[in-house]
Structure formats: C-alpha cells, structure tokens
C-alpha cells in the first residue's frame, strides 16, 4: 500500500518522454502531448483555417493531447500561497507553449494548453509562505521549472511526431 496522501494523474502522453526541470527550490515534472492544443478563450466549434478537423478516438487525426505537470516546491505554502502557485504554474505553461510556437486549433493565436491538462503543486506542511506569484522567490523558481519542463516537452513531442506536426512551429 502507498503512504497517504496519494496523487494520481492519467495521461495518453508518452510517460517515458517526461521532462524534469529544477530551479532553486522548485522541481517540475511534465508529460506533454499536443494532439489538440487549445486556447482557453477560443471558440469550441471554431477551427483555424487550414487546421485540423478535431476528431475523437479512431479518427484519422486523433493524437493524444494532455499536459500533466507535477511541481515539488520546497517552500511551505499557505492555502493562499498554493492558489498563487497554481496560477503562476499555469502562466508559465502558457508562456512555454507560446515560446514553442504551439498554435491553438480553436482560434487564432497560441495555445494555452489542452482540454485535459492536470496540474498539481506539492509543498511541505506548516504553511508560512503566503505568496507564490512570479515576483516572489518561491514563485519565480516554480515558474522557471515549469517553463523549462513544458518547453522541453514541446520539443520532445515535435521530435517524436515530426517537425511538421500541427502543434505549432509556424505562424498561420
């Protein structure tokens, strides 16, 4: 049996291609699948001209697409600090996708993730650190670790699926 508490994440991404990045007191693990990258504020029924027809399992264009991120943070965050850490991690993920040139399939511009992304931030108990935004030491470390892990995951995805993959690399 596993010691409590336990966190489980499901993914269709290739787990053996996970990325691991450390910055200061933060370490981030990411599995990156960019089968259908989306913009959070994109239109559900929209399709970028020349982009893929969004299909489900068994369709010709179906590829797994999930970004799972686990962050191990050395700072003992309060509940408010954890909420800030989650926001900082999501922002760093979106920045990495933009840097990698990952275009959204449901509207113009860069993707902010996929429809099934999962993010977890862990820290030691006894929260004393109330803030983890990118301007704080804990948040800056977290942001860099997530950014590096997701950016490396995008590069790994492209390396495995080919540079011409629809998940970015060129302006539309």
């Amino acid at each position: 049996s596993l010691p409590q508490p336990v966190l489980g994440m499901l993914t269709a991404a290739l787990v053996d291609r996970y990325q691991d990045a450390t910055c200061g007191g933060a370490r981030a693990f990411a599995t990156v699948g960019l089968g259908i990258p989306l913009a959070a504020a994109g239109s559900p029924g929209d399709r970028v001209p020349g982009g893929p027809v969004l299909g489900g399992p068994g369709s010709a264009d179906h590829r797994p697409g999930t970004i799972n991120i686990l962050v191990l943070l050395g700072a003992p965050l309060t509940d408010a600090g954890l909420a800030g850490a989650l926001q900082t991690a999501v922002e760093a993920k979106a920045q990495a996708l933009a840097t990698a040139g990952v275009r959204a399939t449901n509207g113009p511009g860069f993707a902010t993730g996929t429809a099934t992304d999962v993010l977890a931030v862990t820290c030691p108990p006894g929260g004393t650190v109330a803030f983890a935004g990118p301007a704080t030491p804990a948040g800056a470390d977290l942001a860099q670790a997530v950014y590096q892990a997701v950016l490396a995951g995008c590069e790994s995805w492209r390396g495995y699926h080919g540079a011409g993959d629809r998940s970015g690399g060129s302006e539309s």
Side-chain angles (χ1 to χ4, degrees):
S1 96
L2 297 172
Q4 300 296 320
V6 174
L7 169 70
M9 295 181 179
L10 301 177
T11 185
L14 298 172
V15 178
D16 63 343
R17 299 181 74 82
Y18 78 94
Q19 303 299 316
D20 178 356
T22 300
C23 182
R27 185 174 185 185
F29 298 91
T31 58
V32 177
L34 299 173
I36 302 177
L38 301 173
S43 298
D46 282 357
R47 180 175 161 244
V48 174
V53 175
L54 305 182
S59 70
D61 76 321
H62 179 71
R63 290 194 194 170
T66 293
I67 300 171
N68 285 351
I69 303 167
L70 171 62
V71 179
L72 310 176
L73 197 56
L77 300 177
T78 63
D79 288 348
L82 279 168
L86 288 168
Q87 178 178 340
T88 300
V90 168
E91 291 171 357
K93 175 189 73 167
Q95 183 180 354
L97 292 170
T99 298
V102 178
R103 307 294 295 182
T105 58
N106 64 332
F110 296 111
T112 56
T114 75
T116 57
D117 293 354
V118 175
L119 170 62
V121 176
T122 67
C123 67
T128 58
V129 178
F131 300 99
T136 67
D141 286 351
L142 177 151
Q144 278 299 313
V146 169
Y147 175 82
Q148 292 170 15
V150 173
L151 185 60
C154 292
E155 293 167 2
S156 176
W157 171 268
R158 287 207 182 107
Y160 185 81
H161 292 281
D165 187 79
R166 68 173 180 242
S167 58
S170 63
E171 296 293 322
S172 302

